[in-house]
Amino acid sequence: MKRKLNKLLLSHAGTAILFLLFCDAIIFYWYAALYMRHRILFPVFLLLAAACAIPAYKLFIFLWRNKWRDKISAAAKRIYSKYGARLFRALEKLGFGNEDRLGGRSSIIFNFRSEKESTKKKKPPKWKNLKNEKQRLGYLYRAVIMKKLKKGEKIYAFETPHNINKRIPTEGAESEIMDMYCKMRYSTLSPDGEDVDRLKRELEA
């Protein structure tokens, strides 16, 4: 019974019920305000408004947690991924948002597994001190970003590696590093050690 009810509420019927409860609550509150001085009608309309508002609130929370939150979050991510960089470039042309531009010392935070290193706070780890291939790949990715910054490329703190890779042209070892980092960033797999060493040699050549 409970499953059927939840299934019903998660359908369009749940949204319709929420809309009706919300409208009824507003109407009853409006009538309560009209009959504020009436001893009987005022509390009656007030109770009716509360009787609609409370289930409407609970239904809204239920729909938000089980239906709307994921959809809105996914839509926001798509919009951010598609238009975020364009918006900030437009704002920069108007004189806004320059403080978000990364310069010399990048404010990008690189995640070496559990370690988070902000280049504003401390120097990056040395190659010989890195413990695994993912950390070494992150090291190479950072080196590519720093090269681009020194060449005058505009990279913003809000941009993801995928957005940077898509927006800024790269070639050779830099292109391989960017592609590999985007694929391996959240993967449980580890990059091949020989490939990482080769890319480091090519990048430093």
Side-chain angles (χ1 to χ4, degrees), residues 28-46:
F28 286 133
Y29 273 124
W30 182 70
Y31 274 113
L34 285 178
Y35 293 96
M36 189 176 293
R37 295 182 181 179
H38 200 284
R39 293 182 179 179
I40 298 175
L41 292 179
F42 173 69
V44 169
F45 284 125
L46 200 61

Side-chain angles (χ1 to χ4, degrees), residues 76-157:
K77 286 180 180 178
R78 287 195 299 269
I79 294 170
Y80 177 80
S81 177
K82 190 172 182 180
Y83 299 108
R86 297 179 188 178
L87 174 62
F88 275 82
R89 285 199 296 271
L91 289 173
E92 188 186 43
K93 288 180 181 179
L94 296 173
F96 300 98
N98 290 326
E99 64 276 4
D100 291 326
R101 180 181 171 182
L102 303 181
R105 300 289 289 176
S106 168
S107 64
I108 291 178
I109 295 177
F110 297 87
N111 189 350
F112 293 132
R113 287 207 173 180
S114 60
E115 299 174 16
K116 287 187 177 180
E117 178 221 352
S118 171
T119 57
K120 281 189 173 181
K121 295 181 180 179
K122 59 181 180 180
K123 293 181 179 180
K126 294 182 179 180
W127 180 266
K128 63 181 181 180
N129 295 331
L130 300 177
K131 298 177 182 179
N132 54 57
E133 301 307 326
K134 274 200 170 183
Q135 290 187 4
R136 294 184 182 95
L137 180 60
Y139 180 98
L140 296 179
Y141 171 78
R142 180 187 182 281
V144 172
I145 295 297
M146 298 306 292
K147 275 190 173 184
K148 294 298 179 183
L149 290 170
K150 289 177 181 178
K151 289 180 180 179
E153 292 284 358
K154 296 178 181 178
I155 301 176
Y156 300 87

Side-chain angles (χ1 to χ4, degrees), residues 166-192:
K166 188 177 179 181
R167 184 174 64 82
I168 298 176
T170 54
E171 57 183 14
E174 291 183 358
S175 180
E176 284 191 61
I177 291 167
M178 295 295 288
D179 290 339
M180 188 183 294
Y181 185 81
C182 290
K183 290 177 183 177
M184 294 289 180
R185 191 181 179 200
Y186 296 116
S187 174
T188 55
L189 302 175
S190 182
D192 184 75

